[in-house]
Amino acid sequence: MSDVRLRLAGIQKSFGATRALKSVSLNIAPGEVHALIGENGAGKSTLMKVLSGAHTADAGTMELGGKPYLPENPHDARLKGVAMIYQELNLALHLSAQENILLGAESASAGWINQKNSRERARAALALLGHENLDLSKRAGDFSIAEQQIIEIARALLIQPQVLIMDEPTSSLTQADTEKLFGTIGRLRAQGVSVIYISHFLEECRQLCDRYTVLKDGETVGTGDMKSVSLDHIVTLMTGREVKDLYPRTEHTPGDVVLSVKTAASAPRLKRASLELRAGEIFGLAGLIGAGRTDLLRTIFSLDPCDTGEVCIVSASNGTHAPRDRWQQGVGFLSENRKEEGLMLNQSIADNLTLTKMETFGRFGWVNRTRQLATAQRWVDDLRVKCRDASQSIGQLSGGNQQKVAIARLLEHPARIFLLDEPTRGIDVGSKAQIYQLISELAASGKAVVVVSSYLPELLGMCDTIGVMCRGELAAVRPRAQWNEAEIMRVATGSA
């Protein structure tokens, strides 16, 4: 490309021993809409944080307009003409829509904000998105998620960027708002703005983008013209691996239905899901970030309300709907966010492991510490948790050992239905193998397991049945033998 606005070459970034970016190169022309594609964890978000000034690259070079580009922070990047819209919204929810749009770029003189000019600029930014009538005085936290996304995009457009990065911008938008956004991107392209468009929805990339780059495991593995490439080829570049028989499987046969979900929906992301889970079955849930996988598990466990439809735990009282009731019905939930939702990091292994049945270890509010520690130590030994003993603070353990304790809590309770959200995220290979073995043994003992995972070989390697979610709906449920990585990605991206 002779006319390049943005050039990235050999970008590397590590976090401790984890190499998030190994070697990434990317060239984008003025007025180009460039698709950045890859599986969850491929390095897309890390690369964009380097580009937008949130992270500093360990190695490699960046040029903007033919000159070296080294942003000191996100504000500096915006001043240089690079704006980013993150997938996770970054709004000050207590401030008004106008204040959020103008944040850091207010019309001011001698320390005084020009309210009239600020309002006009905010309105003009919203007009680009077809939302010029949005109430600028309303608190951002009072808008819907889709409206908050509009405010976030308007803030990025306010500075008239040279390069605009959009990370899954349609994940919270209605179809009508998505079409308006595409129209805005078309106008930006005509004005010479370069757009980096990150999306798992390949049909969107096909409709919108001029060229593409595929990342896999922190490296650039393919780039080219969008119109001349097949979606199958992109899926192959994204996955690039065969499912190998590396997952231990203990023989098990699914039995009777223990959980029934019928057309369940929970606003805003879970729109419709139906499934049956059997005793002795491992049911995998695939899908993209934001597709509703976690929302489905949270709805089953009653952490989120079931607005319509039904969640039925077979052979249990279903009259009440709260997480405490689910525990009593034999349902255990493992959060994908163990540090903020799954564990008390300042408490001991024993306290974390016995939390849901503390009343069995004492009377009148007093805990028999000797019994509690003995019980916890038994699980520590059985699961080979690397620690001093069960009294050690769980925050001092590695991620893999923390995860083993979180799973041991479900075993001690004991649960008969296991809802596991990303059970192997962020842990080493050895710990993963232990967890795979444990899940297989649970199924062999008649327990029912639902596993959410972003790592497709994991689902294909250990599950009996796999369901794929797309845009809030459980789009397809099939036996494992009827799936492969490419087919899962096709359904997850709405290409099937």
Side-chain angles (χ1 to χ4, degrees), residues 121-141:
R121 291 173 61 215
R123 187 76 65 198
L126 287 169
L128 288 172
L129 297 167
H131 284 268
E132 59 272 15
N133 294 323
L134 187 140
D135 187 353
L136 286 170
S137 63
K138 186 176 176 180
R139 268 188 358 118

Side-chain angles (χ1 to χ4, degrees), residues 365-402:
W366 294 91
V367 175
N368 184 322
R369 188 66 171 165
T370 301
R371 284 181 52 207
Q372 182 197 32
L373 286 171
T375 297
Q377 190 63 47
R378 185 168 64 251
W379 286 114
V380 164
D381 295 339
D382 287 350
L383 298 183
R384 301 193 294 279
V385 178
K386 293 182 180 179
C387 62
R388 184 181 65 248
D389 54 45
S391 66
Q392 186 175 355
S393 170
I394 199 168
Q396 298 174 352
L397 306 187
S398 68
N401 286 294
Q402 289 179 359

